[in-house]
Amino acid sequence: MLVPEEPLLLVLAAAIGRALFRYRSELAPLTSACVLFVAALLLHRNHPGGWPWIAGVAAAAALGAALWGLPWRLGRRSERTYASTVIAAAGAWLAFATAFGPARSPLPTVLVVSTLLLAVPWWAHRRRRARVKVDRVISAWPDVAEATGLAGSRIMSASVDTWGWRARMALRPGQSVPDAISHVPAIESALGTRPGAVRVEQDPSHAGRLTLRVLAADPHAGAIGWKGQRARSIADPIDLGIFEDATSVRVSVLRRHVLIGGATDSGKSGVLNVFLGNLVACSDVVLWGIDLKGGMELRPWASCLDRLATTSEEAARLLADAVAVLEARADAAGRDNTRVWKPTLAAPALVIVIDEYAELVDTAPEAVGYADSIGRRGRAVAVDLLAATQRPTQKAMGGGALRSQMSVRVCLRVRERRDVDLILDKGMLATGWHAHTLDAPGKFYVLADGHNQPRRARAYLVTDDDLRTTTARYADQRPELDALSRAAIDSPTTRPAQLAASPDPEQTLATALAAAPEEGSTVPDLMEITGMGRTWVYERLQALAAAGHARQVARGRWRAWPERPRGRPSARARLRR
């Protein structure tokens, strides 16, 4: 911008200075050559006999750069080789120039030619160009923040990594990370990135700070081959895949129920195969399977499964046996005064794998009560569920409390934004868990202990050859249930009574209140009958009381209003009949 009062020469000098500063990275080879020439001129004038020392120091520095990447801690061999070559060439030229003078022919020509040749890799280096881009973003961030609705935020530090760059940011007081997440499309537009390239992660140590990550390329563009089992015990974490920063996704399934949710062709079966590929190698876990699609998904693993149910009747019988196992283990733990069941080879854990849980609800509703009971009581005695479904709505999960018991949740691509909250939990969409933007099968978010940030990952791909090799290796090494569990399954006296299961918990609650005795039904009884939580039951009771359909006859005891006819059986007896 020209100002009439300013001298043209001053304006021109300022413009040149700004250009030199802006392109200082690109001009670094030329700047280094100029500095080298001036240094040679001074050394030749004052210390012409010091060239052996210069050559020795240069040789040592080149060796350190080649072997260890010193002093820049270079990790790649190509970078170490380039640094070593530059140091050796510069040191050799400086030694000759110190001894004979920098203007001695052909030293000037050698300096120009070598500078241009060695500048080409420097100019083409991806990480250097990314670093320059990051520096320019940092200098322009006040304008970017103003344009994206994050005025007052600032970049504290930035670094370049393999796939792009990341920056630690401090928000203006009053701004929050959800505010930044809602402005991600605007940030992508302002930075000129491709759609879906920006990630925002909460800083766990400060509510007003975040990590902004910009991906120049998608690290999950291609499938990631499975490298085999790492878990040898159910207590070992299972390696599901790779995060975008190349770290492993490791989750523990011991005493945890697992939910895998996602739309059709999102990769649910692939994630299920990764779980199974690791679990079959564990010597302290027995696997049961339920696949009501004729065994299409789980039958390839049949040689490693202790039981496989492919019909609704078989599924109901399998889950009833699982409830008998957990009750027998709970009784034994009570007698031994132990709180949890510790899986061993002689007393293994039991994991029940259910492919498409909604199909179980539709075709075998009598089995849903058993699944809910396992969800509520199975973890302490190492009887766990591993369920996959498309949309885990209340109806799809049988109207019970099973979904709330799932402590490990894997969310693949979903069709609708609201499905994110169905699979993960309420409010997760607003905090950055954007599973609706996942664009390839096998990409997922995971919510579990140690994984509370919305970080994208991609599951390993278990091929048919991997599956056949794994089943052939471990089919003969699978453990059997312990004697206590087998006795519980075989004994008809320990088989649990059929649990009531209704796809509509509202109707179940109304029926229970109408069938309640004169002293009323307790809230715990109503929770067990409906399969819902305490908060849900209290909210419905208050609503029914306000509408005049129920009343509290004593502290913690409720029944329908008006009263039911005398002689009508209690809710528990009626529902268990």
Side-chain angles (χ1 to χ4, degrees), residues 324-458:
V325 169
L326 77 86
E327 289 182 345
R329 290 184 174 185
D331 290 342
R335 292 192 302 269
D336 298 338
N337 197 26
T338 57
R339 298 186 59 184
V340 295
W341 182 277
K342 295 182 179 180
T344 62
L345 177 62
L350 175 60
V351 174
I352 304 161
V353 183
I354 306 176
D355 183 65
E356 195 49 64
Y357 186 85
E359 189 73 16
L360 178 69
V361 175
D362 292 338
T363 61
E366 67 278 6
V368 177
Y370 296 131
D372 284 348
S373 181
I374 296 170
R376 290 193 300 269
R377 302 186 294 155
R379 289 181 297 177
V381 292
V383 178
D384 301 318
L385 294 173
L386 174 56
T389 187
Q390 291 189 27
R391 297 185 73 243
T393 61
Q394 182 169 295
K395 180 179 179 181
M397 298 302 287
L402 179 60
R403 186 178 61 181
S404 63
Q405 302 294 333
M406 299 293 193
S407 54
V408 176
R409 304 191 182 197
V410 177
C411 182
L412 295 107
R413 184 181 68 247
V414 295
R415 300 293 184 190
E416 302 179 20
R417 297 168 64 95
R418 61 180 179 177
D419 291 347
V420 175
D421 289 348
L422 285 175
I423 297 174
L424 296 174
D425 208 350
K426 290 183 179 179
M428 303 307 287
L429 175 65
T431 57
W433 301 74
H434 294 166
H436 59 286
T437 63
L438 298 176
D439 56 2
K443 291 187 177 182
F444 66 91
Y445 288 99
V446 59
L447 180 64
D449 291 343
H451 301 294
N452 300 317
Q453 295 289 334
R455 301 170 63 195
R456 295 190 184 196
R458 182 153 191 170

Side-chain angles (χ1 to χ4, degrees), residues 247-260:
T247 58
S248 298
V249 184
R250 308 188 73 191
V251 297
S252 177
V253 297
L254 175 60
R255 286 187 283 274
R256 291 173 176 85
H257 302 307
V258 181
L259 175 64
I260 305 170

Side-chain angles (χ1 to χ4, degrees), residues 87-148:
I87 293 173
W93 187 91
L94 184 59
F96 278 105
T98 299
F100 302 105
R104 179 80 172 268
S105 180
L107 290 178
T109 303
V110 172
L111 179 62
V112 172
V113 173
S114 59
T115 298
L116 293 177
L117 290 176
L118 293 174
V120 173
W122 173 264
W123 290 330
H125 193 241
R126 178 190 59 80
R127 291 179 65 181
R128 183 204 63 82
R129 290 186 282 115
R131 180 70 248 184
V132 171
K133 187 174 182 179
V134 171
D135 289 340
R136 292 173 183 173
V137 169
I138 292 175
S139 62
W141 182 255
D143 296 332
V144 173
E146 186 72 29
T148 57

Side-chain angles (χ1 to χ4, degrees), residues 481-504:
L481 278 176
D482 55 288
L484 175 68
S485 300
R486 293 197 305 270
I489 295 173
D490 296 337
S491 175
T493 59
T494 59
R495 188 176 298 276
Q498 175 113 358
L499 301 177
S502 170
D504 186 1

